[in-house]
Amino acid sequence: MRVTTPNSPRPSSPGIWDPGAEILVDHSSPMPLYFQIATQLESAIDSGALAPGARLDNEVHLAGRLGLSRPTVRQAIQMLADKGLVVRKRGVGTQVVHNRVKRGVELTSLFDDLSALDQRPGTRVLVNVVEPAGAAVARALDVAERTEVWRLERVRLARSEPIARMCNYLPADLIPLPGDEVLETRGLYQLLRGAGVRMHAARQSIGARAASRAEAELLGESEGAPLLTMERTSYTAAGQVVEYGTHLYRASRYSFDFALRGTG
Amino acid sequence: MRVTTPNSPRPSSPGIWDPGAEILVDHSSPMPLYFQIATQLESAIDSGALAPGARLDNEVHLAGRLGLSRPTVRQAIQMLADKGLVVRKRGVGTQVVHNRVKRGVELTSLFDDLSALDQRPGTRVLVNVVEPAGAAVARALDVAERTEVWRLERVRLARSEPIARMCNYLPADLIPLPGDEVLETRGLYQLLRGAGVRMHAARQSIGARAASRAEAELLGESEGAPLLTMERTSYTAAGQVVEYGTHLYRASRYSFDFALRGTG
DNA sequence: CAGTGGTCTAGACCACGCC
DNA sequence: GCGTGGTCTAGACCACTGA
């Protein structure tokens, strides 16, 4: 997608990186133009071609150079501003942020997180059944009581050591039920994404408590050790519940890192 | 800002609430038009006038009724969609979400949270000094070592019971240093907002550990009790560090609830 | 098929920050 | 003053949905 042009035909002012030279738009692509621009600018920032503090070419120039209207270019840059990658200041310009806030691990799964950290994630499947929903689960999934739901209970391993115990409930008709062997090599969110289920939002609650004897044994901790608890309900864009889960993490081995944005 | 008109002059189609009848825009106001619209629509949703599932008037009609262009109206509705209050579907329309995800407690302070819950928050100030930054604090605040920083240590109370111990570091020149008595009645974020400091993003890490003897005593727990730990760095829109804090919460009395949005 | 949101254009004026 | 982003207009065509 990104094309590098080592020498700009006309050097721009010192300190101002000229994105026009490295951005190409494809009018025949189904991908929106503003998205094409944003993607390429983001790549430039990720790769360091656009270093922190670098000023972007201004909207009007960039639009002219790309042969696009200003609103389109503006929409692209706004995407980056919303992500916190650049800062816009009226009368000044747009700059790549200095102190980049780590990309929020929003709506990712533990499996993804561990994969990204090269922690060799593994899974032990304890329960993988379809059963009628009890009252609490029915309320959480927003379905009628005794509706068939998919119940999943797993232990997550990293480098062969237990990290978490995860209990999940999902609508039974959401995706074809995978066998245990599939669940052992793929995260739940990975499976959902693969089946075209797209998460859009989630409600999450994080707390802590002391480990019971059984929990301690399962996770390789001692009784009374602090555990992180996480309860999460995930939704599609249409507001349908995708998944309800209650997870238990060893506090000695895991913490939740994330980025927040905007004052609401 | 919002004006209620009890009787619509011309009843709209059944099931479709006609926002045009209740929305007024003021072209002379310094508040952007799209923001005026979004605010009033949000009020209608909050108040229940726009019930979950209700369809909004479409963009073109609404624009015509308000005497505005479609992009302006669209920007307003997009704000609500970004907040997760409405769902937009091409070929269908815009609906108020059924399963409303609780407003994320993004970048709020514990004091705000407790105030909102009517928990009668209080504060005991343990430390309130300006001192030279050590290596770790200097790195966290992104300032030179031995720069003067404001150090704050407090115990947060709710209904006169201790809930958390909070340690914060801030650039000393950010706001005039308040006396202890001010800190006892106002949250830190409240003070910062009042001084015009606007938080834009934060990096946060939540974990858990067992209470030491001193911590247990301070918080009214027993030694070894599980505590939630939170470490946070807050930034302005320009990427400057506003505050670095390490907090300790009684797990028996507090949990972090928040909403996540978008798949990143 | 008609209706909806998604995208895009080619301009315009304004408010703000800096010089 | 001048350049910047912030806002706004009045159209346009397209893709998708549902009847």
Side-chain angles (χ1 to χ4, degrees), chain B residues 118-136:
Chain B
D118 194 24
Q119 291 284 298
R120 298 196 291 104
T123 306
R124 267 178 54 210
V125 178
L126 304 179
V127 176
N128 178 18
V129 299
V130 169
E131 63 182 29

Side-chain angles (χ1 to χ4, degrees), chain A residues 59-132:
Chain A
E59 299 176 353
V60 181
H61 283 168
L62 188 49
R65 200 175 299 269
L66 297 177
L68 301 174
S69 71
R70 183 186 164 199
T72 301
V73 170
R74 181 177 173 74
Q75 189 174 3
I77 299 179
Q78 192 58 49
M79 271 189 71
L80 301 182
D82 290 342
K83 282 191 182 183
L85 294 179
V86 300
V87 176
R88 326 185 71 169
K89 283 188 202 145
R90 177 153 45 180
V92 177
T94 304
Q95 290 188 326
V96 179
V97 295
H98 285 278
N99 223 326
R100 180 165 171 182
V101 175
K102 185 170 51 183
R103 197 87 59 100
V105 292
E106 306 168 352
L107 284 185
T108 62
S109 69
L110 178 52
F111 193 91
D112 292 336
D113 293 349
L114 296 175
S115 296
L117 294 172
D118 194 24
Q119 291 282 301
R120 297 196 291 106
T123 307
R124 266 177 54 210
V125 177
L126 304 180
V127 176
N128 178 18
V129 298
V130 170
E131 63 182 28

Side-chain angles (χ1 to χ4, degrees), chain A residues 38-54:
Chain A
T39 302
Q40 292 176 64
L41 284 175
E42 188 167 352
S43 297
I45 294 172
D46 284 338
S47 74
L50 270 174

Side-chain angles (χ1 to χ4, degrees), chain A residues 147-182:
Chain A
T147 305
E148 299 241 295
V149 297
W150 176 23
R151 175 174 157 224
L152 202 51
E153 201 169 322
R154 297 165 296 165
V155 171
R156 175 72 77 229
L157 313 168
R159 300 183 183 277
S160 306
E161 272 202 65
I163 292 293
R165 190 212 60 190
M166 306 177 292
C167 301
N168 291 92
Y169 293 88
L170 299 90
D173 53 3
L174 195 62
I175 65 172
L177 259 57
D180 287 6
E181 64 286 353
V182 173

Side-chain angles (χ1 to χ4, degrees), chain B residues 13-14 16 18 32 43 74 78 80 111-112 119 122 133 139 141 147-148 186 198 221 244 258 263:
Chain B
S13 311
I16 303 186
D18 177 5
S43 296
R74 180 176 173 74
Q78 191 59 48
L80 301 182
F111 193 90
D112 293 335
Q119 291 284 298
R139 194 168 53 249
L141 290 186
T147 304
E148 299 241 294
R186 284 183 174 77
R198 300 222 290 228
E221 292 276 348
Y244 165 71
F258 52 94
T263 32

Side-chain angles (χ1 to χ4, degrees), chain B residues 32-34 68-70 72 90:
Chain B
L33 299 179
Y34 74 89
L68 302 174
S69 71
R70 182 184 167 203
T72 301
R90 176 154 43 180

Side-chain angles (χ1 to χ4, degrees), chain B residues 89-161:
Chain B
K89 285 187 200 146
R90 176 154 43 180
V92 177
T94 304
Q95 289 187 328
V96 179
V97 295
H98 285 279
N99 222 326
R100 179 165 172 183
V101 175
K102 185 170 51 183
R103 197 85 62 97
V105 292
E106 307 169 351
L107 284 184
T108 63
S109 69
L110 178 53
F111 193 90
D112 293 335
D113 294 348
L114 296 175
S115 296
L117 294 172
D118 194 24
Q119 291 284 298
R120 298 196 291 104
T123 306
R124 267 178 54 210
V125 178
L126 304 179
V127 176
N128 178 18
V129 299
V130 169
E131 63 182 29
V137 171
R139 194 168 53 249
L141 290 186
D142 198 24
V143 299
E145 206 163 329
R146 312 214 59 74
T147 304
E148 299 241 294
V149 297
W150 177 23
R151 176 174 157 224
L152 203 50
E153 200 168 324
R154 296 165 296 165
V155 171
R156 175 72 76 227
L157 312 168
R159 300 182 182 279
S160 305
E161 272 201 67

